Amino acid sequence: MKTIFETSIPGRPGVWPDEPHKRAQDMLPAELLRGKKPDLPELSELDVVRHFTALSRLNFGVDTHFYPLGSCTMKYNPKHLEHVAALPGFTDLHPLAAQLKGAGQYTQGALEVMYELERLLCEITGMAAYTLHPMAGAHGELTGAMIIAAYHKKQGNQKTKVICPDSAHGTNPSSAAIAGFDVVNIESRDGIIDPAALAEVLDDETAALMMTCPNTLGLFEDHLQEIVAMLREKDALLYYDGANMNAIMGKLKVGDAGFDVVHLNLHKTFGTPHGAGGPGSGPVGVCEKLTPFLPISRVVKLEDGRYFLDYNHPDSIGYMAPFYGNFGVALKAYAYILRLGREGLIRVSEHAVLAANYLRKKLEHVLEIPFNRVCMHEFVASAVQQAEKGVRAVDIAKALLDKGHHAPTIYFPLIVKECLMVEPTETESRETLDLFVDDLVDILERADNYPEAVTGAPITMPVGRLDETKAARDMAVTWDLARELDEKQAQKPAPAADDA
Amino acid sequence: MSHIPEELSYTKTHEWVRTNGGEVLVGITDFAQEQLGDLTFVELPEVGDVLDAGFEMGSVESVKAASELYSPVSGEVVAVNELLESEPGLVNEDPYGDGWMVRIKMSTEPEGLLSADDYQALTEA
Amino acid sequence: MPYIPHTPEQVRDMLEVIGVASMDDLFADIPAELRPASFDLEPGLSEMEVCRRLETMAAKNRTNLTSFLGAGFYDHHIPKAIDPLAGRGEFATAYTPYQPEASQGTLQAVFEYQTAICRLLDMDAANASVYDGGSAMFEAMMMAVRSTKRTKLVVSEGLSPIYRIMLGSYTSNLNLELVTVPHAQGTTDIAGLIKAVDSDCAGVVVQNPNFFGTVHDFSELFAHAKAQKALSLMSVYPVLQSVLKTPGQMGADIAVAEGQSLGLPLSFGGPYLGVMSCTKKLLRQMPGRIAGRAVDAEGRTGYVLTLQAREQHIRRAKATSNICSNQALCALRALIHICLLGPEGLTRTAELSMERARYAARRLTAIPGVELLNDAPFGNEFAVTLPKSGYQVIDRLIAHDVVPGFPLGRYYHGLENGLLLACTEKHSFEDIGILAERIQGACQ
């Protein structure tokens, strides 16, 4: 499809506001002006609508396809949440209005939403307090790691390192590093954390262990209680990566289980669509002793029932967001929790786990499942057997696209070769799950008999497999750089025949 | 089976070393390039940089992997293979030849380098 | 249960396939002593009840005020075509485009967004966005630190105080030195910045227009920084960038922005959009997701996430940043906004906002005791000093449904009587007249 820059017609009127009385050059000296208007597309509203509608049709989304992308919780997000988040009483609210004396009365509804959501998240996870400021999961990790650093600093502890299991998502070590920690990796055993391996590296300099539970293999960490005790002994904190919260609502309150810091991904568990990569929201909850370090501001409810923003926390790590986080996302999560309620959230986790185990059982005869036991909301299969015949996990993934299913996660976790990480979620019907199984079985049969039919996939998508190596070498990251490259290549003399 | 020339020395971090008087030529091994896949980017030190043995001197990237480069010896960088900036694929095509990376003038005798046999054992471990 | 499709019979069948007797058996791994003692939430509400409750809460907020609040976050008109396009499920319910063949819509849009941002700012490359303007500036600083291998950053006090607090928080564990160069009566002290940028400096950080609304040309500062091998980092306001001298023209190495003014509602602070762009030379240092053009085996053009080896899922602790998601849907809104308005529409928006600000400045300075903070050129926002504290005047006017602006005293000592006012094309001349009358009344 042509880029929008190629469809631009110079002079075509767009959705213009009225003509101003003064032009820029009448208002500012020339040396402060750009001189030439930016070279941006000139299109009618219809041109724009057609272009983006056409682009949208090149995408898979949960609304259009089954999307069993492991660790991402691609569940269906009810549409009324969009209505709620689009209420002008929320969208038109300037964030600074809440910070003006006397204007707090004009933002009471928004502050109430934040206060109430924090309260609900505390109850769901057993934490003492939450901040909604982190704007994504990784941002929550960074916030959590900074809270851990601030706590140890305040305690006078000399803590330099954070331990991450090898099954951890790559953001864990990377967030810990930005919070100033050295990262120590430990190897898993039987797919979960091995207390013996932990004991080897755990020492007085250990600030925290970052854990995902259930972990990225979809397995519950069986040694959790032992690990909690080991950490407590060294005044090391236990961090909970909430990527997999969808598995345990009502079944485990992480605060009660001994976790000190937790981040949640509202966009995974609590009803917000992923938006092709964002915006998300990654609230962080802490146990009582860590509350002084939460980012500011914090929402407080006064005795008279009014809400206000409290900035008076001298030990706070400061501002993680310009304001109060991705409020629009938090709104949807709040409405989602209200809608489902106690029983609903428990059912979400039960059915998420049910669906994952159902698929695991249906597929265990055709794919290797390295840690084949009752899993939580997802499981990891491996295409090692198929790889011996030249059909790799990536090939199976691409063949699934041709069948009309989004592929499972295949680049992660790093500890399983040729992994296919499958998370069906609670919102998919049994019919969809069965269809997925039938289609996957069919692909695996073809992988046995006609491997090239699988390695050549996809054939029904707008494009086939793209040359990522060439793309990384070319670095054509804008249309202008792409054109520059094309011109350069057009000027190059054609290679002589004997070079070819 | 990756190619491991007899006459070169190696590091545990998969660099090869060709000694020539007081200078060494350094690149990454055939095994390393196979593991990484088609390289998309090679970051090298600058001529004049002074390196300590074992310290990071650059990095290589492919689409799905990245790896640091470590200096096998202590000394000063006297040349880098500037072609790799535009043609990182040379490392895949000819790791011990056109894909060389840096030339270093040694300040001390090299220590702890592996022989071809030792390196082969390492890659098979 | 809503949104869970299985019938009781299906659940029974599925449990049988799994080989367990009950749902509870699936959770046998979680020890009994770890099971929650309570899970004290209300029962679920119907869709109607949820909507009603949230509508009631929304109604507790007052949004029909005449407001001149800006301070980096502006109330511009949002074309109505954006919501239905960006709201399409194909965009909104997709994930990060890990399977490019099934994500060409997102990827091409990101590629187009990157191109549009580069053209607006005259930069070579842009990423597919970070969280907001403040975190974008933090990432820009880290780029400067990595690429110069220096640790000192010189920051103008004209950079939004909100961002300066964020930078202080983010860098608190990183052994970096942040040197702040004070503003000069609301203008950016270019001479002071030049003096502070030396050969130990990783980068210099400025904002245009600065927090007080004044417009600058930083070409000389950036040339000086370049001579010191320091990088020039600039935060801009995208709407005004359709008329103002660009970061590229001034020689900036990295330009960032809060992208909210490009078609995103104020929404009480987020979700917003961290715009981030740089020179080609720095592209590999840029964090976050970047789309690049690619080609398939049949020669068809497509787009992929490229340069992923910089990122956390490969580099882990050594990644350029921990950032993993982006604000793709917000970036899409910004792109659609830019395309709907085009160069003329964006320019008009900037000019309408600026001419209203000029009218407001004229009306306000006609009030005895009210003066402009400085006589520097400004865009659509300017600061005045009042005969009374900013907070006091705001308090008085809010009672009359007018929010006259932002009290500078909140972040700047000595400017307790300062008021920062922003205008956009949404303000009528009548609104501004009422504002002037009210301020006059409050100042008497």
Side-chain angles (χ1 to χ4, degrees), chain B residues 3-53:
Chain B
H3 177 46
I4 303 176
E6 261 313 304
E7 71 278 15
L8 302 181
S9 309
Y10 298 88
T11 66
K12 284 179 186 160
T13 47
H14 307 289
E15 288 86 11
W16 56 261
V17 180
R18 187 191 304 273
T19 314
N20 188 356
E23 291 187 351
V24 292
L25 201 63
V26 180
I28 61 167
T29 64
D30 190 33
F31 176 78
Q33 72 79 19
E34 263 178 20
Q35 292 288 311
L36 287 161
D38 290 340
L39 292 194
T40 56
F41 178 62
V42 179
E43 184 190 18
L44 297 176
E46 285 178 29
V47 171
D49 284 358
V50 176
L51 306 170
D52 286 332

Side-chain angles (χ1 to χ4, degrees), chain A residues 283-298:
Chain A
V284 166
V286 294
C287 64
E288 193 64 47
K289 68 180 175 189
L290 297 181
T291 53
F293 308 102
L294 284 170
I296 45 176
S297 57
R298 290 173 59 191

Side-chain angles (χ1 to χ4, degrees), chain A residues 2-5 14-18 20-24 27 31-34 37-41 51 55-56 59-60 62-63 67 69 72 78 80 83-84 89 91 93-94 99-101 106-107 109-110 112 123 136 138-139 146 168 170-171 174-175 178-179 220 225 247 250-251 253 273-279 311 317-320 322-328 338-339 341-342 344 351 361 373 398 426-428 430-431 464-465 467 472 476-480 486, chain C residues 1 3-6 10 13 17-18 27 29 33 35-36 38-42 44-46 54-55 57-58 60-62 70-71 73 88-96 99 101-103 105-106 108 111-112 114-115 119-120 124 131-132 169-170 173-174 241-246 249 266-272 292-293 295-296 300-301 303 306 312 316 321-322 324-329 335 340-345 348 351-352 354-355 358 395 398 407 410-411:
Chain A
K2 275 187 180 172
T3 66
I4 198 146
F5 299 93
V15 187
W16 293 345
D18 294 342
H21 301 87
K22 289 181 185 164
R23 302 307 308 227
M27 295 186 274
E31 68 266 23
L32 296 179
L33 297 174
R34 63 181 294 151
K37 276 185 195 156
D39 187 7
L40 296 168
H51 178 78
L55 276 187
S56 76
N59 263 9
F60 278 23
V62 173
D63 283 6
Y67 218 119
L69 193 64
C72 301
H80 69 284
H83 160 76
V84 162
T91 57
L93 213 51
H94 197 294
Q99 298 182 26
L100 303 177
K101 281 182 203 152
Y106 295 137
T107 59
E112 185 182 358
E123 180 55 31
H139 201 222
M146 285 172 63
T171 50
S174 148
S175 300
I178 295 171
F220 189 78
Q225 286 153 296
K251 304 293 179 188
K253 281 163 85 167
H274 287 64
Y311 284 85
I317 59 166
Y319 283 18
M320 291 308 293
F323 300 107
Y324 329 109
N326 283 343
F327 176 75
L338 289 183
R339 173 85 174 100
R342 182 182 189 278
H351 283 79
K361 257 332 217 196
R373 56 181 238 205
K398 302 301 180 193
E426 74 281 5
T427 58
E428 296 295 342
R430 179 171 173 187
E431 292 71 26
R465 289 189 213 187
D467 185 343
V477 298
T478 65
W479 192 54
D480 297 293
D486 293 345
Chain C
M1 273 305 142
Y3 324 117
I4 296 174
H6 309 304
Q10 286 183 321
D13 280 358
V17 169
I18 298 166
F27 292 88
D29 283 344
E33 59 272 29
R35 295 304 181 92
S38 69
F39 195 61
D40 190 13
L41 303 170
E42 284 178 70
L45 302 177
S46 71
L54 270 296
E55 282 156 12
M57 289 166 104
K60 290 184 195 167
N61 302 315
R62 284 284 304 280
F73 309 90
R88 287 181 66 89
E90 296 91 330
F91 287 128
T93 70
Y95 196 71
T96 304
Q99 295 292 339
E101 300 88 346
S103 318
T106 296
Q108 182 170 333
F111 180 79
E112 292 176 353
Q114 290 168 184
T115 306
R119 288 186 172 194
L120 185 62
D124 298 330
Y131 310 126
D132 81 301
S169 303
Y170 278 62
N173 302 303
L174 296 177
Q241 217 46 73
S242 60
V243 300
L244 296 184
K245 191 164 187 175
T246 62
Q249 287 171 324
L266 285 162
S267 199
F268 207 49
Y272 287 167
R293 191 186 64 170
V295 67
D296 74 2
R300 289 177 293 192
T301 296
Y303 304 88
T306 193
Q312 44 72 29
R316 298 175 81 84
S321 163
N322 72 325
C324 166
S325 62
N326 54 25
Q327 301 284 95
L329 202 65
L335 173 66
L340 285 168
L341 275 91
E344 175 65 18
R348 283 187 185 186
E351 290 168 337
L352 288 166
M354 284 165 61
E355 73 178 22
R358 272 151 188 74
D395 260 0
I398 280 177
R410 173 155 167 74
Y411 289 112

Side-chain angles (χ1 to χ4, degrees), chain A residues 270-418:
Chain A
F270 297 105
T272 308
H274 287 64
S281 173
V284 166
V286 294
C287 64
E288 193 64 47
K289 68 180 175 189
L290 297 181
T291 53
F293 308 102
L294 284 170
I296 45 176
S297 57
R298 290 173 59 191
V299 196
V300 182
K301 188 174 184 178
L302 300 173
E303 276 178 10
D304 63 7
R306 284 182 303 130
Y307 300 89
F308 94 110
L309 293 172
D310 183 4
Y311 284 85
N312 188 20
H313 294 279
D315 289 331
S316 163
I317 59 166
Y319 283 18
M320 291 308 293
F323 300 107
Y324 329 109
N326 283 343
F327 176 75
V329 179
L331 255 178
K332 294 180 202 177
Y334 177 59
Y336 177 82
I337 295 170
L338 289 183
R339 173 85 174 100
L340 287 168
R342 182 182 189 278
E343 291 308 315
L345 291 180
I346 293 171
R347 290 291 172 84
V348 162
S349 288
E350 287 179 347
H351 283 79
V353 172
L354 176 75
N357 278 291
Y358 179 72
L359 280 187
R360 177 181 61 82
K361 257 332 217 196
K362 286 276 204 175
L363 292 171
E364 68 182 2
H365 311 293
V366 289
L367 279 170
E368 185 170 319
I369 296 177
F371 306 99
N372 197 6
R373 56 181 238 205
V374 170
C375 64
M376 300 298 280
H377 66 306
E378 66 190 2
F379 66 97
V380 178
S382 167
V384 277
Q385 290 163 9
Q386 286 74 17
E388 280 167 20
K389 295 195 173 174
V391 175
R392 306 191 53 189
V394 63
D395 302 314
I396 295 166
K398 302 301 180 193
L400 278 167
L401 301 179
D402 277 334
K403 295 275 194 184
H405 307 291
H406 195 279
T409 297
I410 53 169
Y411 301 114
F412 180 76
L414 305 177
I415 58 174
V416 175
K417 282 192 178 144
E418 301 299 327

Side-chain angles (χ1 to χ4, degrees), chain C residues 16 91 117 119 126 166 181 185 197 256 309 345 370 374 389 429:
Chain C
E16 204 176 302
F91 287 128
I117 292 299
R119 288 186 172 194
M166 285 174 77
V181 174
Q185 195 67 17
V197 174
V256 304
V370 178
N374 58 53
S389 102
F429 289 96

Side-chain angles (χ1 to χ4, degrees), chain C residues 46 85 102 106 123 167 216 233 250 313 350 382 386 388:
Chain C
S46 71
L85 288 174
T106 296
M123 301 300 286
L167 295 179
H216 293 271
L233 281 52
M250 293 185 200
H313 59 285
F382 62 97
L386 306 168
K388 288 183 177 162

